Amino acid sequence: ITVSMDLNSLNGQLIDNLERVLKEHPGKLPVRFALRDQDQKVELASKNTRVSFGKPLFEALENTPDISFKINT
């Protein structure tokens, strides 16, 4: 799964919320983060965070403001 967010939206509260959501759904699916601004996009892979993707995680991510996500194939 790749979680994307705009650098302008990045703040402590967003990071805390995202961390909580990902920790609530541990599993085997690797997590990547895509940070973007007007000019660039940087992708980072998490070494320690893996999730179990299902409806509960999907709904939690959908309800987290300022992020989007996609399933990596």
Coordinates of all heavy atoms in Angstrom, one line a residue:
I1 N 0.9 -1.2 0.0 CA 0.0 0.0 0.0 C 0.9 1.2 0.0 O 1.9 1.2 0.6 CB -0.9 0.0 1.2 CG1 -1.9 1.1 1.2 CG2 -0.2 0.0 2.5 CD1 -3.0 1.0 2.2
T2 N 0.5 2.2 -0.8 CA 1.2 3.5 -0.8 C 0.3 4.6 -0.2 O -0.8 4.8 -0.8 CB 1.7 3.9 -2.2 OG1 2.6 2.9 -2.6 CG2 2.4 5.2 -2.2
V3 N 0.7 5.3 0.8 CA 0.0 6.4 1.4 C 0.6 7.6 0.9 O 1.8 7.9 1.1 CB 0.1 6.3 3.0 CG1 -0.7 7.4 3.6 CG2 -0.5 5.0 3.5
S4 N -0.2 8.5 0.3 CA 0.3 9.8 -0.3 C -0.2 10.9 0.5 O -1.4 10.9 1.0 CB -0.2 9.9 -1.7 OG 0.3 8.8 -2.5
M5 N 0.6 11.9 0.6 CA 0.2 13.2 1.3 C 1.0 14.4 0.7 O 2.1 14.2 0.2 CB 0.3 13.1 2.8 CG 1.7 12.8 3.3 SD 1.7 12.2 5.0 CE 1.7 10.5 4.7
D6 N 0.4 15.5 0.8 CA 1.1 16.8 0.4 C 1.9 17.3 1.5 O 1.5 17.3 2.6 CB 0.0 17.8 0.0 CG 0.5 19.0 -0.7 OD1 1.3 19.7 -0.1 OD2 0.2 19.2 -1.9
L7 N 3.1 17.7 1.2 CA 4.0 18.3 2.2 C 3.4 19.5 3.0 O 3.6 19.7 4.1 CB 5.3 18.7 1.6 CG 6.3 17.5 1.3 CD1 7.5 18.0 0.6 CD2 6.7 16.8 2.6
N8 N 2.6 20.2 2.3 CA 1.9 21.4 2.9 C 0.9 21.0 4.0 O 0.6 21.8 4.9 CB 1.2 22.3 1.9 CG 2.2 22.9 0.9 OD1 3.3 23.2 1.3 ND2 1.9 23.1 -0.3
S9 N 0.4 19.8 3.9 CA -0.6 19.3 4.8 C 0.1 18.5 6.0 O -0.6 18.2 7.0 CB -1.6 18.3 4.1 OG -2.3 19.0 3.1
L10 N 1.3 18.2 5.8 CA 2.0 17.4 6.8 C 2.2 18.1 8.1 O 2.7 19.3 8.2 CB 3.4 17.0 6.3 CG 4.1 15.9 6.9 CD1 3.3 14.6 6.9 CD2 5.5 15.6 6.3
N11 N 1.7 17.6 9.2 CA 1.9 18.1 10.6 C 1.9 17.0 11.6 O 1.6 15.8 11.2 CB 0.8 19.2 10.9 CG -0.6 18.6 10.8 OD1 -0.9 17.5 11.3 ND2 -1.5 19.3 10.1
G12 N 2.1 17.3 12.8 CA 2.2 16.3 13.9 C 0.9 15.5 14.0 O 0.9 14.3 14.3
Q13 N -0.2 16.2 14.0 CA -1.5 15.6 14.2 C -1.7 14.5 13.0 O -2.2 13.4 13.3 CB -2.6 16.6 14.2 CG -4.0 15.9 14.4 CD -5.1 16.9 14.5 OE1 -4.9 18.1 14.4 NE2 -6.3 16.5 14.7
L14 N -1.4 14.9 11.8 CA -1.6 14.0 10.7 C -0.7 12.8 10.8 O -1.2 11.6 10.7 CB -1.3 14.7 9.3 CG -1.4 13.8 8.1 CD1 -2.8 13.2 7.9 CD2 -1.0 14.6 6.9
I15 N 0.5 13.0 11.2 CA 1.4 11.9 11.4 C 1.0 11.0 12.6 O 1.0 9.7 12.4 CB 2.9 12.4 11.7 CG1 3.4 13.0 10.4 CG2 3.8 11.2 12.2 CD1 4.7 13.8 10.7
D16 N 0.5 11.5 13.7 CA 0.0 10.8 14.8 C -1.2 9.9 14.4 O -1.3 8.7 14.7 CB -0.4 11.7 16.0 CG 0.9 12.3 16.7 OD1 2.0 11.8 16.4 OD2 0.7 13.2 17.4
N17 N -2.1 10.5 13.7 CA -3.3 9.8 13.2 C -3.0 8.7 12.3 O -3.5 7.6 12.4 CB -4.3 10.8 12.5 CG -5.0 11.7 13.5 OD1 -5.0 11.5 14.7 ND2 -5.5 12.8 12.9
L18 N -2.1 8.9 11.3 CA -1.7 7.9 10.4 C -1.0 6.8 11.1 O -1.2 5.6 10.8 CB -0.8 8.5 9.3 CG -0.4 7.6 8.2 CD1 -1.6 7.0 7.5 CD2 0.4 8.4 7.2
E19 N -0.1 7.1 12.0 CA 0.6 6.1 12.8 C -0.3 5.2 13.6 O -0.2 4.0 13.6 CB 1.6 6.7 13.7 CG 2.5 5.7 14.5 CD 3.5 6.4 15.4 OE1 3.3 7.6 15.8 OE2 4.5 5.8 15.7
R20 N -1.3 5.8 14.2 CA -2.3 5.1 15.0 C -3.1 4.1 14.1 O -3.3 2.9 14.4 CB -3.3 6.0 15.7 CG -4.3 5.4 16.5 CD -5.3 6.3 17.1 NE -5.8 7.3 16.1 CZ -6.8 7.1 15.2 NH1 -7.3 5.9 15.0 NH2 -7.2 8.0 14.3
V21 N -3.6 4.6 12.9 CA -4.3 3.8 12.0 C -3.5 2.6 11.5 O -4.0 1.5 11.5 CB -4.8 4.7 10.8 CG1 -5.4 3.8 9.7 CG2 -5.9 5.6 11.3
L22 N -2.3 2.8 11.1 CA -1.5 1.7 10.6 C -1.1 0.7 11.7 O -1.1 -0.5 11.4 CB -0.2 2.3 10.0 CG -0.4 3.2 8.8 CD1 0.9 3.8 8.3 CD2 -1.1 2.5 7.6
K23 N -0.9 1.2 12.9 CA -0.6 0.2 14.0 C -1.8 -0.6 14.4 O -1.7 -1.7 14.9 CB 0.0 1.0 15.2 CG 1.4 1.4 15.0 CD 1.9 2.1 16.3 CE 3.4 2.4 16.1 NZ 4.0 3.0 17.3
E24 N -3.0 -0.1 14.2 CA -4.2 -0.8 14.5 C -4.5 -1.9 13.6 O -5.4 -2.7 13.8 CB -5.4 0.2 14.6 CG -5.4 1.1 15.8 CD -6.5 2.1 15.7 OE1 -7.2 2.2 14.7 OE2 -6.7 2.8 16.7
H25 N -3.8 -2.0 12.4 CA -4.0 -3.0 11.4 C -2.7 -3.7 11.0 O -2.3 -3.7 9.8 CB -4.7 -2.4 10.2 CG -6.0 -1.7 10.5 ND1 -6.1 -0.4 11.0 CD2 -7.3 -2.2 10.6 CE1 -7.3 -0.1 11.2 NE2 -8.1 -1.2 11.0
P26 N -2.0 -4.4 12.0 CA -0.8 -5.0 11.6 C -1.0 -6.2 10.7 O -2.0 -6.9 10.7 CB -0.2 -5.5 13.0 CG -1.4 -5.7 13.8 CD -2.4 -4.6 13.3
G27 N 0.0 -6.4 9.8 CA -0.1 -7.5 8.9 C 1.2 -7.7 8.1 O 2.3 -7.4 8.6
K28 N 1.1 -8.2 6.9 CA 2.3 -8.5 6.0 C 2.4 -7.6 4.8 O 3.5 -7.7 4.2 CB 2.2 -10.0 5.6 CG 2.2 -11.0 6.7 CD 2.2 -12.4 6.2 CE 2.3 -13.4 7.4 NZ 2.3 -14.7 6.9
L29 N 1.5 -6.7 4.6 CA 1.6 -5.9 3.4 C 2.5 -4.7 3.7 O 2.3 -3.9 4.6 CB 0.2 -5.3 3.1 CG 0.0 -4.6 1.8 CD1 0.2 -5.5 0.6 CD2 -1.4 -4.0 1.7
P30 N 3.6 -4.5 2.9 CA 4.5 -3.4 3.1 C 3.8 -2.1 2.9 O 2.9 -1.9 2.0 CB 5.6 -3.7 2.1 CG 5.1 -4.6 1.1 CD 4.0 -5.4 1.7
V31 N 4.3 -1.1 3.6 CA 3.8 0.3 3.5 C 4.8 1.2 2.9 O 6.0 1.2 3.2 CB 3.4 0.8 4.8 CG1 2.9 2.3 4.7 CG2 2.3 -0.1 5.4
R32 N 4.4 2.0 1.9 CA 5.3 3.1 1.3 C 4.6 4.4 1.5 O 3.4 4.5 1.6 CB 5.5 2.8 -0.2 CG 6.2 1.5 -0.5 CD 6.4 1.3 -2.0 NE 7.2 2.3 -2.6 CZ 8.5 2.4 -2.6 NH1 9.2 1.4 -2.0 NH2 9.2 3.4 -3.2
F33 N 5.4 5.4 1.6 CA 4.8 6.8 1.7 C 5.3 7.6 0.5 O 6.5 7.6 0.2 CB 5.3 7.4 3.0 CG 4.9 6.7 4.2 CD1 5.7 5.7 4.8 CD2 3.6 6.9 4.8 CE1 5.3 5.0 6.0 CE2 3.2 6.2 5.9 CZ 4.0 5.3 6.5
A34 N 4.4 8.4 0.0 CA 4.7 9.3 -1.1 C 4.4 10.7 -0.7 O 3.3 11.0 -0.3 CB 3.8 9.0 -2.4
L35 N 5.4 11.5 -0.6 CA 5.3 12.9 -0.2 C 5.5 13.8 -1.4 O 6.4 13.6 -2.2 CB 6.4 13.2 0.9 CG 6.4 12.3 2.1 CD1 7.6 12.6 3.0 CD2 5.1 12.4 2.9
R36 N 4.6 14.7 -1.6 CA 4.7 15.5 -2.8 C 4.5 17.0 -2.4 O 3.8 17.3 -1.4 CB 3.6 15.1 -3.8 CG 2.2 15.2 -3.3 CD 1.2 14.6 -4.3 NE -0.1 14.7 -3.8 CZ -0.7 14.0 -2.9 NH1 -0.1 13.0 -2.3 NH2 -2.0 14.2 -2.5
D37 N 5.0 17.8 -3.3 CA 4.7 19.3 -3.2 C 4.5 19.7 -4.7 O 4.3 18.8 -5.5 CB 5.9 20.1 -2.6 CG 7.2 20.0 -3.3 OD1 7.2 19.6 -4.5 OD2 8.2 20.5 -2.8
Q38 N 4.5 20.9 -5.0 CA 4.2 21.4 -6.3 C 5.2 20.9 -7.4 O 4.8 20.7 -8.5 CB 4.1 22.9 -6.4 CG 3.0 23.5 -5.6 CD 3.0 25.0 -5.6 OE1 3.9 25.6 -6.2 NE2 2.0 25.6 -5.0
D39 N 6.4 20.7 -7.0 CA 7.5 20.4 -8.0 C 8.0 18.9 -7.9 O 8.5 18.4 -8.9 CB 8.7 21.3 -7.7 CG 8.3 22.8 -7.9 OD1 7.5 23.1 -8.8 OD2 8.8 23.6 -7.1
Q40 N 7.9 18.3 -6.8 CA 8.5 17.0 -6.7 C 7.6 16.0 -5.9 O 6.7 16.4 -5.2 CB 9.8 17.1 -5.9 CG 10.9 17.9 -6.6 CD 12.2 18.0 -5.8 OE1 12.3 17.3 -4.8 NE2 13.1 18.8 -6.2
K41 N 8.0 14.7 -6.1 CA 7.4 13.6 -5.4 C 8.5 12.7 -4.9 O 9.3 12.3 -5.7 CB 6.4 12.9 -6.3 CG 5.7 11.7 -5.6 CD 4.7 11.1 -6.5 CE 4.1 9.9 -5.9 NZ 3.2 9.2 -6.9
V42 N 8.5 12.3 -3.6 CA 9.5 11.4 -3.1 C 8.7 10.2 -2.5 O 7.7 10.4 -1.8 CB 10.3 12.1 -2.0 CG1 11.3 11.2 -1.3 CG2 11.0 13.3 -2.6
E43 N 9.2 9.0 -2.8 CA 8.6 7.8 -2.2 C 9.6 7.2 -1.2 O 10.8 7.1 -1.5 CB 8.2 6.8 -3.3 CG 7.0 7.3 -4.1 CD 6.3 6.2 -4.8 OE1 6.4 5.0 -4.5 OE2 5.5 6.5 -5.7
L44 N 9.0 6.8 -0.1 CA 9.8 6.2 1.0 C 9.2 4.9 1.4 O 8.0 4.8 1.5 CB 9.9 7.1 2.2 CG 10.4 8.5 1.9 CD1 10.1 9.4 3.1 CD2 11.8 8.6 1.6
A45 N 10.0 3.8 1.6 CA 9.5 2.6 2.1 C 9.7 2.4 3.6 O 10.8 2.7 4.0 CB 10.2 1.4 1.3
S46 N 8.7 2.0 4.3 CA 8.9 1.7 5.7 C 9.5 0.4 5.9 O 9.0 -0.6 5.3 CB 7.5 1.8 6.4 OG 7.6 1.4 7.7
K47 N 10.5 0.3 6.7 CA 11.1 -1.0 7.0 C 10.4 -1.7 8.1 O 10.4 -3.0 8.1 CB 12.6 -0.8 7.5 CG 13.5 -0.3 6.4 CD 14.9 -0.1 6.9 CE 15.8 0.4 5.8 NZ 17.2 0.5 6.3
N48 N 9.7 -1.0 9.0 CA 9.1 -1.7 10.1 C 7.6 -1.8 10.1 O 7.0 -2.6 10.8 CB 9.5 -0.9 11.4 CG 10.9 -0.9 11.6 OD1 11.6 -1.8 11.3 ND2 11.4 0.2 12.1
T49 N 6.9 -1.0 9.3 CA 5.5 -1.0 9.3 C 4.9 -1.8 8.1 O 5.2 -1.6 7.0 CB 4.9 0.5 9.1 OG1 5.5 1.3 10.1 CG2 3.4 0.6 9.2
R50 N 4.1 -2.8 8.5 CA 3.3 -3.6 7.6 C 1.9 -3.7 8.1 O 1.6 -3.7 9.3 CB 4.0 -5.0 7.5 CG 5.3 -5.0 6.8 CD 5.9 -6.3 6.7 NE 7.2 -6.3 6.0 CZ 7.4 -6.5 4.7 NH1 6.3 -6.7 4.0 NH2 8.5 -6.4 4.2
V51 N 1.0 -3.8 7.1 CA -0.4 -3.7 7.5 C -1.2 -4.9 6.9 O -0.7 -5.6 6.0 CB -1.1 -2.4 7.0 CG1 -0.5 -1.2 7.8 CG2 -1.0 -2.2 5.6
S52 N -2.3 -5.2 7.4 CA -3.3 -6.1 6.9 C -4.4 -5.3 6.2 O -5.2 -4.6 6.9 CB -3.9 -7.0 8.0 OG -4.9 -7.8 7.5
F53 N -4.4 -5.4 4.9 CA -5.4 -4.6 4.2 C -6.7 -5.3 4.1 O -6.8 -6.4 3.7 CB -4.9 -4.2 2.8 CG -5.8 -3.2 2.2 CD1 -5.6 -1.9 2.5 CD2 -6.8 -3.5 1.3 CE1 -6.5 -0.9 2.0 CE2 -7.6 -2.5 0.7 CZ -7.5 -1.2 1.1
G54 N -7.7 -4.6 4.6 CA -9.1 -5.1 4.5 C -10.0 -3.9 4.7 O -9.6 -2.7 4.8
K55 N -11.3 -4.2 4.8 CA -12.3 -3.1 4.9 C -12.1 -2.2 6.1 O -12.2 -1.0 5.9 CB -13.7 -3.7 5.0 CG -14.8 -2.7 4.9 CD -16.2 -3.3 4.8 CE -17.2 -2.2 4.7 NZ -18.6 -2.8 4.6
P56 N -11.7 -2.7 7.3 CA -11.4 -1.8 8.4 C -10.3 -0.8 8.2 O -10.5 0.4 8.4 CB -11.1 -2.7 9.6 CG -11.7 -4.0 9.2 CD -11.6 -4.1 7.7
L57 N -9.2 -1.2 7.6 CA -8.1 -0.3 7.3 C -8.5 0.6 6.1 O -8.3 1.8 6.2 CB -6.9 -1.1 6.9 CG -5.7 -0.2 6.4 CD1 -5.2 0.7 7.6 CD2 -4.5 -1.0 5.9
F58 N -9.2 0.1 5.1 CA -9.7 1.0 4.0 C -10.5 2.1 4.6 O -10.3 3.3 4.2 CB -10.5 0.1 3.0 CG -11.1 0.8 1.9 CD1 -10.3 1.2 0.8 CD2 -12.4 1.2 2.0 CE1 -10.9 1.9 -0.2 CE2 -13.0 1.9 0.9 CZ -12.3 2.3 -0.2
E59 N -11.5 1.8 5.4 CA -12.4 2.8 6.0 C -11.6 3.8 6.9 O -11.9 5.0 6.8 CB -13.5 2.1 6.8 CG -14.5 1.4 5.9 CD -15.6 0.7 6.6 OE1 -15.4 0.5 7.8 OE2 -16.5 0.2 6.0
A60 N -10.7 3.3 7.6 CA -9.9 4.2 8.5 C -9.1 5.1 7.7 O -9.0 6.3 8.0 CB -9.0 3.4 9.4
L61 N -8.4 4.6 6.6 CA -7.7 5.5 5.7 C -8.6 6.5 5.0 O -8.2 7.7 4.8 CB -6.8 4.7 4.7 CG -5.7 3.9 5.4 CD1 -5.0 3.0 4.3 CD2 -4.6 4.9 6.0
E62 N -9.7 6.0 4.5 CA -10.7 6.9 3.9 C -11.1 8.1 4.8 O -11.4 9.2 4.3 CB -11.9 6.1 3.4 CG -11.7 5.3 2.2 CD -11.8 6.1 0.9 OE1 -12.8 6.8 0.7 OE2 -10.8 6.0 0.1
N63 N -11.2 7.8 6.1 CA -11.6 8.8 7.0 C -10.5 9.7 7.6 O -10.7 10.5 8.5 CB -12.4 8.2 8.1 CG -13.7 7.6 7.6 OD1 -14.4 8.2 6.8 ND2 -14.1 6.5 8.1
T64 N -9.3 9.5 7.1 CA -8.1 10.3 7.6 C -7.9 11.4 6.6 O -7.6 11.2 5.4 CB -6.8 9.4 7.7 OG1 -7.1 8.3 8.5 CG2 -5.7 10.2 8.2
P65 N -8.2 12.7 7.0 CA -8.1 13.8 6.1 C -6.6 14.0 5.6 O -5.7 13.6 6.3 CB -8.5 15.0 7.0 CG -8.6 14.5 8.4 CD -8.5 13.1 8.4
D66 N -6.5 14.6 4.4 CA -5.3 15.0 3.8 C -4.4 13.9 3.3 O -3.2 14.1 3.1 CB -4.5 15.9 4.8 CG -5.2 17.2 5.1 OD1 -5.9 17.7 4.2 OD2 -5.2 17.6 6.2
I67 N -4.9 12.6 3.2 CA -4.1 11.6 2.7 C -4.9 10.9 1.6 O -6.1 10.9 1.6 CB -3.6 10.5 3.7 CG1 -4.8 9.7 4.3 CG2 -2.8 11.2 4.8 CD1 -4.4 8.4 4.9
S68 N -4.2 10.2 0.7 CA -4.8 9.3 -0.2 C -4.0 8.0 -0.2 O -2.9 8.0 0.3 CB -4.9 9.9 -1.6 OG -3.6 10.2 -2.1
F69 N -4.5 7.0 -0.8 CA -3.7 5.7 -0.8 C -4.1 4.9 -2.0 O -5.1 5.1 -2.6 CB -4.0 4.9 0.5 CG -5.4 4.4 0.7 CD1 -5.7 3.2 0.2 CD2 -6.4 5.2 1.2 CE1 -7.1 2.7 0.4 CE2 -7.7 4.8 1.4 CZ -8.0 3.5 0.9
K70 N -3.2 3.9 -2.3 CA -3.4 3.0 -3.4 C -2.8 1.7 -3.0 O -1.9 1.6 -2.2 CB -2.9 3.5 -4.7 CG -1.3 3.5 -4.8 CD -0.8 3.9 -6.1 CE 0.7 3.8 -6.1 NZ 1.2 4.1 -7.5
I71 N -3.4 0.6 -3.6 CA -2.8 -0.7 -3.4 C -1.8 -0.9 -4.4 O -2.0 -0.8 -5.6 CB -3.9 -1.8 -3.5 CG1 -5.1 -1.5 -2.5 CG2 -3.4 -3.2 -3.3 CD1 -4.6 -1.4 -1.1
N72 N -0.6 -1.3 -4.0 CA 0.5 -1.6 -5.0 C 0.3 -3.0 -5.5 O 0.0 -3.9 -4.8 CB 1.9 -1.5 -4.2 CG 2.1 -0.2 -3.6 OD1 1.6 0.8 -4.1 ND2 2.8 -0.2 -2.5
T73 N 0.5 -3.1 -6.8 CA 0.4 -4.4 -7.5 C 1.7 -4.9 -8.0 O 2.6 -4.2 -8.2 CB -0.7 -4.4 -8.6 OG1 -0.3 -3.3 -9.5 CG2 -2.0 -4.1 -8.1

